[in-house]
Amino acid sequence: MKTAYNILWIDDEPKSTDTDQADVRDFLEESGIRADITFVEATEDGSIKERLEHHLKDPDLDLLMVDYNMVGLQGDQLVRLIRETDHIYLPVIFYSSSSVSDLHEAVRDAQLDGVYIANRTALIQKVKSVVGSLLNREQTVKQVRGLLMEGVSEIDTQFYEIYLKVWPKLTEGQQVDVAKYLREIVDERAKAAKKKADAFPSDMDALGNHLTEKFLTAVYDTYTRWRLTRKILDISGHVEDYLAELKKFADVEGDEIPLNKLRNDYAHKSRKTLSEEHNTERCIAIRKSLRAQAANIDAILGSE
């Protein structure tokens, strides 16, 4: 789920799109999305293909707006050029002051996929329809969860960057003040932990109620929940194969990176650092591991 849309807008009359660009920005802003529009003018010298080359290398393009009848490059030629890059599925909206039927025929003859047609007077309505449909697909719980994980994780890493930048500039007295404040935080957490320990249920009925209410809260982190789950299953005599697979969730085994470690990495490392580690092989490994853990848990739950 996106917080910004990268739009490449191509036309041979820049001024004619000013109002349309403003309308697109306003529409996306209403959905909480920033419109980052890059405008490229098609000029009579026919250099549009060369000047677009570096824009088409941008992997984060979300939408292409194209005047179909441009000087120097027809719209269908441009889309063929785009389809030869990594943007095979990039949505494209063609517009023209000519009739929509002519546009439909031209696109059909060119056998172009993922292409939408709009008369110039109905351009914004088409943008709302196409982008609105794409947004509906993104606004699922799964996508929002991913957005939150990405957004909060990136902010978290930037706290560290702020520390690295600002701390050396503090005077010794200011650093002492920060140290006192941090000690207060540590002491507060120590007191809270002691309070939790003192209040830990002493009988099994109370413990059962406590775990029912608190198991899936901030009282216990994922690692503690994993350890507790393994212990419960071990004591209850569950199949050893189930326990062996569950162990892989957080225990290092060979060259494999456990899911919990990967989760923490993706939550606490910056996007820049992750981009250096992130690759196709890791994605495949993560998907396989997620599937294996999910199947194992289903098997455990189904065995009861």
Side-chain angles (χ1 to χ4, degrees):
M1 182 170 158
K2 296 180 177 296
T3 57
Y5 253 62
N6 293 311
I7 301 172
L8 184 59
W9 199 307
I10 306 165
D11 200 307
D12 56 0
E13 297 181 7
K15 289 295 183 182
S16 69
T17 68
D18 287 349
T19 300
D20 292 327
Q21 289 189 50
D23 288 342
V24 169
R25 285 192 174 93
D26 290 343
F27 165 65
L28 287 171
E29 186 62 38
E30 290 173 1
S31 299
I33 297 172
R34 184 184 73 250
D36 292 334
I37 300 176
T38 300
F39 185 89
V40 178
E41 181 181 359
T43 53
E44 293 184 5
D45 62 6
S47 64
I48 182 69
K49 290 178 68 174
E50 289 74 18
R51 291 189 293 111
L52 282 174
E53 190 175 47
H54 74 281
H55 291 295
L56 295 179
K57 292 179 180 179
D58 181 359
D60 295 322
L61 279 178
D62 295 301
L63 177 65
L64 181 64
M65 305 288 293
V66 186
D67 177 8
Y68 192 80
N69 296 311
M70 292 183 295
V71 174
L73 185 68
Q74 287 293 96
D76 60 323
Q77 295 175 311
L78 175 58
V79 173
R80 286 198 184 94
L81 179 65
I82 292 166
R83 294 301 188 246
E84 292 173 358
T85 69
D86 293 334
H87 298 297
I88 298 174
Y89 303 109
L90 181 69
V92 179
I93 297 179
F94 278 137
Y95 59 87
S96 176
S97 56
S98 62
S99 69
V100 173
S101 60
D102 291 342
L103 272 175
H104 277 294
E105 183 177 350
V107 170
R108 183 173 60 251
D109 291 345
Q111 297 181 332
L112 301 174
D113 296 325
V115 174
Y116 304 89
I117 307 299
N119 186 278
R120 190 60 178 263
T121 58
L123 179 57
I124 300 307
Q125 285 74 17
K126 178 59 70 173
V127 172
K128 290 181 178 180
S129 174
V130 172
V131 176
S133 177
L134 295 174
L135 290 178
N136 286 336
R137 296 180 194 175
E138 291 186 349
Q139 291 169 171
T140 63
V141 171
K142 180 178 181 180
Q143 295 289 350
V144 172
R145 179 182 283 174
L147 174 66
L148 284 170
M149 171 67 84
E150 161 70 7
V152 173
S153 297
E154 197 63 21
I155 291 170
D156 200 15
T157 63
Q158 288 167 340
F159 292 157
Y160 178 58
E161 293 175 13
I162 291 172
Y163 155 74
L164 291 176
K165 182 177 181 179
V166 178
W167 174 261
K169 299 178 181 179
L170 297 181
T171 65
E172 183 176 351
Q174 290 172 325
Q175 291 181 347
V176 169
D177 288 341
V178 172
K180 290 179 180 178
Y181 181 69
L182 179 57
R183 181 54 189 263
E184 289 175 4
I185 293 175
V186 173
D187 288 344
E188 286 174 4
R189 297 190 66 174
K191 289 177 182 178
K194 186 177 186 307
K195 185 176 180 180
K196 290 177 185 178
D198 292 342
F200 192 80
S202 56
D203 64 82
M204 295 309 99
D205 287 340
L207 178 60
N209 291 333
H210 167 79
L211 290 176
T212 300
E213 294 177 3
K214 305 296 185 182
F215 191 96
L216 205 58
T217 69
V219 172
Y220 299 107
D221 60 17
T222 301
Y223 185 72
T224 301
R225 285 191 284 270
W226 167 75
R227 293 179 64 186
L228 183 58
T229 300
R230 284 185 61 199
K231 188 65 174 180
I232 291 172
L233 291 174
D234 185 30
I235 290 176
S236 65
H238 268 72
V239 179
E240 186 61 33
D241 287 347
Y242 294 162
L243 294 172
E245 184 63 45
L246 189 62
K247 181 182 179 183
K248 297 177 184 177
F249 176 80
D251 262 2
V252 177
E253 190 167 291
D255 295 331
E256 293 185 19
I257 304 176
L259 276 177
N260 196 53
K261 168 78 165 55
L262 286 167
R263 173 186 177 276
N264 290 336
D265 283 350
Y266 276 75
H268 301 299
K269 289 184 178 180
S270 69
R271 188 184 297 113
K272 179 180 179 181
T273 300
L274 286 172
S275 65
E276 296 170 355
E277 304 171 351
H278 189 79
N279 52 46
T280 301
E281 290 72 23
R282 172 165 285 191
C283 290
I284 293 172
I286 289 173
R287 286 196 293 268
K288 287 183 177 180
S289 185
L290 285 169
R291 289 175 58 192
Q293 288 296 325
N296 187 56
I297 290 172
D298 285 344
I300 293 170
L301 294 172
S303 67
E304 293 301 314

